[in-house]
Amino acid sequence: MDVRDADIRAFIQDVARATGTTFIVDPRVQGTVSFSRDQPMTESELIGVLLAILRANGLVAVPTGAGAYRVVPDDTAAQQPGSAGGSTLGFATEVFPLSRVDARVAAETLKPLVGRGGMVMALPQGNSLLVADYADNLRRLRRLVAQIDTDRATVDTVTLRNSSAADIAATVNQLFGMQGADGTSGALSVLPVESSNSIVVRGDATLIGRVVQMILELDRRAEQQGNVRVVKLQHADADELLPVLQQLVGQTPSPTDTTGGIDPATVAAAAGAAGAQPAQVISPRPGSGRRPTIVRYPGSNALIINADPDIQRTLMDVIGQLDVRRQQVLVEAIVVEISDAAARDLGVQIAAANEKGVPFGLTQFRNSGPGITELAGAALLDRDEDPDASETAREAALLSLLGLTGGLAGIAGSAGDTLFGLIINAVRSDTGSNLLSTPSIMTLDNEEARILVGQEVPITTGEVLGDGNTNPFRTIERKNVGIQLEVTPQINAGGGITLQLRQEVSSVAGSVSNRSDELIFNTREIETRVLVDDGAIVVLGGLLDQNESASIDKVPLLGDIPLLGSLFRSTSRSKAKTNLMVFLRPTIIRDSREMQAATAPRYDYMRDAQLQLPRRDNGERAAIDALVQDYLRTQPPVAPAAAPVTDGTAPATRDTAPAP
């Protein structure tokens, strides 16, 4: 056979005619064939020559049935349903399982070695490779995968006695230039194990030996530092932290020891009442014979630890997790009380007496203002005959008139020996009030806080006059009256805030009567425990109260007479409506920036209120600004600038300014 620059489609047709095989040629098949051989060939050899020529031209023959092939470009060979079997020139697909190397890393390594029509894909679920290529290339790739999927690294574990595994691992990583977040690189991997205070190293055997020797040397030098360490706390209180650490190491301070701050017996009793399990005591190293001791230095916020290095390390880990900046909570309350009261009274009182002033007919109603008896007594008694009785009657009439509300009209006269008098009292009153108070307070997480804005009112609790008014004395108790807010916030991990609070609004309503000094107090109090989201407003409670009353005082029978009966009765109607609501808004203050953001708007609110006062010269500073700048020698607080935005969206902010 001797073929020179023949069209490949014609050559395929000649092979089909010679071998009796059907070839379906894709329209994209193009090219020329040059082939020469001076020995005769069998049909199978001729088909093998055709497959080799097709592969050289970037083509592949895919079997479609008995004695039939489809000739297509090899860039679509991986998507074809079959390939030429039994020949090294055929296209095949195979799965390579991996045991040590990650499939995604191996796939990236093998991609440059796959033929133009081949494909390699990583299967992370089973850590395997899916490879499609010519059969001879698959054998080569199989040998390469076997060489790659091996681990010649050495793994060693070093247990530390005097140092922290995290600190030593960070030192080794910096020394060998490993910048990865997980402390690994291609040559060396160093990972700390906090639970056992150990370090696991992996890498070349020679390098591992050097690293292990260096870790042991660092741990040995740490033992020479001694067993006493002074820990200066940054945020936590030494008085509160000391009993916790003492309980961990099994140290029980004496009852007279005031350095512990909290009595450990009280802590143990509270834990037992709550059903909590006792804390596990950290035991010293076997054979050391030394019991750990923790004390507080009163001169500063510091702790002194005398213990073995391993116990010191454990305590330092605990202190590091507890000695953090505590969050704060700003609690703002709004108390709104709206009341509306209306009253209407109308009464007629009549009196009749003989010429000596002895009454023989009288009507009087106490809900109608001044009584007619006081006024008539003052008018009828003669000052010359009985000065004392006349003076007493006049004082009673004056007190009755001083308590007058509304309008009063009357007539008096005589008819023969009969004296008569009539007074009419009418009153209508409408009162409305709107009480709005906004107490606010800031406190640390899990710390109780209390604010009181009001007065101390004296209340008589006891009085002794003695015989003949000898050695008199009176005991007085003072009661806080005003707005009180007591709150203990607890910030939860989910972002909510649990509040144990008590809100009270009280005022003096007046005395019990005109002749008594005892006081009546109005009190609105809420004591509850609620869960609120950060920055959300929640209603704590409220009262909707509406009272209506009507009363009629009359003379029997006479008061029921139509028209004329109005002279013998007194009517009174009243209506009162009260709406009381208490709202609360807690806000978490996490850092100094949020503290400044909460302080500046409230400072500006007070400064603007001072600048709006009348009779101020243009350019004059507010009084609060002058005090801050001249006395405190600092500048007023300013709200921090908004954080920069990189994704084009508006920054999320929390409105901490007070409501106008």
Side-chain angles (χ1 to χ4, degrees):
M1 179 177 290
D2 189 7
V3 180
R4 301 295 180 181
D5 296 329
D7 183 69
I8 192 171
R9 301 173 69 91
F11 182 74
I12 295 174
Q13 184 177 3
D14 292 342
V15 174
R17 186 182 301 111
T19 60
T21 306
T22 301
F23 290 94
I24 303 173
V25 183
D26 190 276
R28 293 173 294 174
V29 175
Q30 300 291 335
T32 58
V33 177
S34 296
F35 174 73
S36 176
R37 181 171 177 172
D38 56 359
Q39 297 293 331
M41 293 179 293
T42 63
E43 293 181 359
S44 60
E45 290 176 341
L46 184 56
I47 292 179
V49 170
L50 176 61
L51 294 179
I53 293 175
L54 292 177
R55 180 174 178 180
N57 286 270
L59 303 171
V60 64
V62 181
T64 60
Y69 294 88
R70 183 172 61 252
V71 182
V72 296
D74 60 2
D75 56 358
T76 63
Q79 287 79 33
Q80 300 302 322
S83 61
S87 174
T88 59
L89 301 177
F91 208 87
T93 304
E94 189 173 344
V95 176
F96 297 155
L98 303 176
S99 58
R100 295 178 177 87
V101 181
D102 185 81
R104 289 167 292 188
V105 178
E108 294 297 329
T109 305
L110 296 180
K111 278 182 180 179
L113 305 178
V114 179
R116 190 182 67 171
M119 179 190 67
V120 59
M121 180 183 300
L123 303 177
Q125 294 81 359
N127 196 39
S128 303
L129 291 177
L130 177 64
V131 183
D133 205 347
Y134 289 98
D136 56 348
N137 201 30
L138 281 178
R139 288 193 299 269
R140 183 171 65 96
L141 294 178
R142 190 182 303 110
R143 291 193 299 268
L144 292 176
V145 170
Q147 296 177 9
I148 293 174
D149 193 24
T150 57
D151 188 5
R152 298 184 179 89
T154 301
V155 179
D156 199 353
T157 302
V158 183
T159 301
L160 305 179
R161 301 176 61 88
N162 309 303
S163 306
S164 171
D167 296 341
I168 296 297
T171 302
V172 175
N173 288 333
Q174 293 180 3
L175 179 62
F176 287 89
M178 292 179 295
Q179 303 298 329
D182 56 352
T184 61
S185 69
L188 180 65
S189 300
V190 180
L191 298 176
V193 182
E194 299 289 347
S195 59
S196 60
N197 196 43
S198 303
I199 296 179
V200 179
V201 290
R202 177 183 179 274
D204 182 75
T206 305
L207 183 59
I208 289 298
R210 293 167 48 200
V211 172
V212 170
Q213 291 299 324
M214 183 183 64
I215 293 175
L216 294 175
E217 178 66 17
L218 293 175
D219 188 51
R220 184 184 61 82
R221 291 179 179 272
E223 187 177 8
Q224 300 175 359
Q225 296 180 357
N227 299 317
V228 179
R229 175 176 292 189
V230 178
V231 183
K232 295 183 178 180
L233 303 178
Q234 301 294 326
H235 305 283
D237 188 355
D239 287 340
E240 298 179 356
L241 189 58
L242 178 61
V244 177
L245 299 178
Q246 288 177 336
Q247 188 177 7
L248 284 178
V249 299
Q251 176 187 352
T252 304
S254 61
T256 58
D257 185 8
T258 59
T259 60
I262 303 175
D263 187 4
T266 304
V267 177
Q277 297 295 330
Q280 182 179 1
V281 177
I282 302 175
S283 302
R285 189 171 57 195
S288 63
R290 182 188 298 112
R291 295 196 59 183
T293 304
I294 308 173
V295 296
R296 180 182 67 87
Y297 175 58
S300 64
N301 191 35
L303 297 174
I304 302 175
I305 302 175
N306 182 12
D308 292 335
D310 53 346
I311 297 182
Q312 284 189 16
R313 182 182 62 257
T314 303
L315 294 178
M316 290 301 298
D317 291 341
V318 175
I319 293 175
Q321 298 181 46
L322 297 179
D323 188 22
V324 295
R325 181 186 179 96
R326 296 175 62 182
Q327 297 180 348
Q328 302 182 84
V329 179
L330 173 63
V331 181
E332 301 166 286
I334 300 178
V335 182
V336 183
E337 181 177 355
I338 302 175
S339 62
D340 186 11
R344 184 178 62 185
D345 296 332
L346 177 61
V348 179
Q349 302 178 64
I350 302 174
N354 57 20
E355 60 181 357
K356 295 183 178 181
V358 178
F360 57 83
L362 179 68
T363 61
Q364 178 166 298
F365 307 105
R366 288 300 180 184
N367 62 352
S368 298
I372 195 172
T373 54
E374 291 87 350
L375 300 179
L380 295 177
L381 290 178
D382 190 352
R383 181 186 297 270
D384 295 335
E385 294 180 359
D386 194 347
D388 295 337
S390 176
E391 185 66 24
T392 301
R394 292 178 185 275
E395 291 180 359
L398 180 61
L399 291 176
S400 178
L401 291 174
L402 290 177
L404 172 67
T405 58
L408 179 67
I411 59 175
S414 61
D417 295 337
T418 302
L419 304 176
F420 63 89
L422 179 146
I423 60 174
I424 301 175
N425 176 247
V427 60
R428 177 184 177 88
S429 63
D430 292 296
T431 59
S433 64
N434 182 4
L435 172 65
L436 178 65
S437 58
T438 58
S440 62
I441 191 170
M442 181 178 295
T443 179
L444 284 172
D445 181 24
N446 282 320
E447 292 289 343
E448 181 180 359
R450 178 174 180 267
I451 183 175
L452 169 63
V453 181
Q455 297 176 323
E456 287 190 349
V457 178
I459 302 174
T460 302
T461 58
E463 185 177 17
V464 176
L465 299 179
D467 297 336
N469 201 21
T470 59
N471 192 23
F473 69 90
R474 176 182 296 176
T475 58
I476 295 177
E477 176 184 354
R478 296 189 177 272
K479 175 181 175 60
N480 293 325
V481 177
I483 301 173
Q484 300 185 56
L485 175 62
E486 300 177 5
V487 60
T488 303
Q490 176 182 330
I491 302 176
N492 304 324
I497 307 172
T498 302
L499 298 174
Q500 179 71 44
L501 57 89
R502 176 178 174 270
Q503 171 77 58
E504 177 182 335
V505 179
S506 57
S507 61
V508 179
S511 59
V512 176
S513 64
N514 294 331
R515 299 181 179 272
S516 175
D517 295 334
E518 301 298 331
L519 300 178
I520 300 175
F521 295 94
N522 295 327
T523 303
R524 281 82 70 192
E525 179 179 349
I526 294 178
E527 185 170 357
T528 182
R529 182 182 179 92
V530 295
L531 177 62
V532 192
D533 291 335
D534 178 22
I537 298 179
V538 63
V539 59
L540 296 183
L543 171 66
L544 302 179
D545 185 21
Q546 181 172 351
N547 295 322
E548 297 185 12
S549 62
S551 63
I552 299 177
D553 294 342
K554 61 183 179 179
V555 177
L557 299 179
L558 297 179
D560 297 329
I561 300 175
L563 299 179
L564 186 61
S566 300
L567 300 176
F568 300 95
R569 65 172 178 261
S570 174
T571 60
S572 174
R573 296 180 180 274
S574 63
K575 180 180 180 181
K577 183 179 181 180
T578 302
N579 294 333
L580 172 65
M581 289 291 172
V582 179
F583 301 91
L584 192 80
R585 183 197 185 203
T587 305
I588 300 177
I589 306 297
R590 299 175 176 84
D591 50 29
S592 58
R593 180 184 179 87
E594 294 188 0
M595 175 74 76
Q596 197 78 355
T599 303
R602 287 159 178 77
Y603 184 91
D604 295 340
Y605 180 81
M606 298 304 299
R607 176 173 54 191
D608 294 342
Q610 291 183 348
L611 292 177
Q612 293 175 2
L613 295 176
R615 298 189 302 276
R616 296 189 62 88
D617 298 334
N618 293 332
E620 184 179 355
R621 293 182 301 172
I624 188 173
D625 281 346
L627 183 65
V628 170
Q629 295 173 354
D630 300 340
Y631 180 73
L632 300 181
R633 296 185 180 88
T634 186
Q635 295 299 320
V638 179
V645 181
T646 59
D647 57 356
T649 59
T653 58
R654 293 192 301 176
D655 184 13
T656 56

